[in-house]
Amino acid sequence: MKISAVCFDLGKVLLHFDWQLMLSRVAKKSPLAAEEIARLLREDPQALNYERGGITSAKFFSHLKKLLKYRGTAKELRAAFSEIFTPLPEHIALAALLAPHYPLAIISNTNDAHIVHAEATYSFFSLFRARIYSHQVKAMKPDRAIYQAALTALGGIDPLEALFIDDVEANILGAVQLGWQTIHLRPGVDLREALASYELKGLD
């Protein structure tokens, strides 16, 4: 099958993230235990709304400061919320090998604070011709609209010729339903081997 573009998820594919880093930092300036902070975040509808672009960063962190009884500043809370990432160098290196041969895209369910921090911290984002973020396009995987936004940003390519890599099965299935080729990056899957199975250029 011909592949004309390769699309990557961000979290757990290009960047690892660890919410425990955030929880421990916030708990130092909150009367709440880390476990309670985690529960409140999981159950907070505004967190999902923020990823959908339905609330600004200023309003979200003002809301979060009250919700978590955080005694620091909103700026400090935003830093704790955002500084949870570390790169996955092997996967980034594979993207770099593919970039001279295929247009690349990122398709991610994410929010403004995370993207502002990540793009300012890591240089690999320049490899990607298109960066499709849920909070910007107002749609989240596995909604078909976010995949269509990626195809449009890549020049209107045929979904049958688009390859998508994600660690979440529901997101993979969303792409499959639209005819995309996919790699489900489950634990133990070797991404280089999975990409090589598509006989992509640049991996030799």
Side-chain angles (χ1 to χ4, degrees):
M1 177 65 68
K2 177 184 177 182
I3 298 297
S4 297
V6 184
C7 302
F8 291 72
D9 179 28
L10 185 57
K12 304 293 187 178
V13 176
L14 298 169
L15 290 175
H16 176 66
F17 59 86
D18 183 358
W19 282 109
Q20 289 300 320
L21 297 174
M22 182 262 193
L23 296 175
S24 62
R25 286 176 67 175
V26 172
K28 291 176 181 177
K29 293 189 177 183
S30 169
L32 306 177
E35 294 78 9
E36 178 66 4
I37 294 169
R39 184 189 67 79
L40 289 170
L41 284 170
R42 283 195 305 271
E43 298 176 359
D44 181 22
Q46 288 290 27
L48 191 60
N49 192 28
Y50 187 42
E51 287 203 347
R52 287 200 171 108
I55 184 174
T56 65
S57 289
K59 289 183 178 179
F60 176 69
F61 287 106
S62 177
H63 156 77
L64 205 61
K65 192 173 183 297
K66 294 175 183 176
L67 178 70
L68 304 181
K69 301 179 181 179
Y70 186 70
R71 293 188 290 262
T73 66
K75 183 178 180 179
E76 289 172 330
L77 181 57
R78 176 170 175 152
F81 182 84
S82 302
E83 294 169 1
I84 62 172
F85 298 103
T86 52
L88 294 170
E90 296 87 355
H91 294 174
I92 293 168
L94 290 171
L97 291 175
L98 294 172
H101 305 281
Y102 303 92
L104 305 183
I106 292 173
I107 308 175
S108 178
N109 290 345
T110 188
N111 57 68
D112 176 66
H114 282 170
I115 287 306
V116 168
H117 169 73
E119 289 195 346
T121 304
Y122 304 108
S123 61
F124 69 80
F125 284 90
S126 63
L127 295 170
F128 295 87
R129 179 180 299 183
R131 304 170 203 169
I132 310 302
Y133 302 136
S134 60
H135 69 283
Q136 293 179 348
V137 300
K138 306 295 193 295
M140 296 182 68
K141 296 176 293 187
D143 294 348
R144 69 181 296 132
I146 194 168
Y147 303 103
Q148 187 57 52
L151 295 176
T152 300
L154 290 167
I157 66 169
D158 188 331
L160 295 175
E161 297 180 2
L163 176 61
F164 177 51
I165 305 153
D166 200 296
D167 64 307
V168 176
E169 184 177 18
N171 298 339
I172 289 292
L173 293 175
V176 168
Q177 289 173 0
L178 300 176
W180 290 49
Q181 303 300 307
T182 61
I183 295 172
H184 184 190
L185 198 60
R186 296 182 296 269
V189 170
D190 185 302
L191 183 55
R192 176 182 281 274
E193 290 183 2
L195 289 168
S197 70
Y198 285 92
E199 299 181 350
L200 298 178
K201 299 175 184 177
L203 298 179
D204 297 337

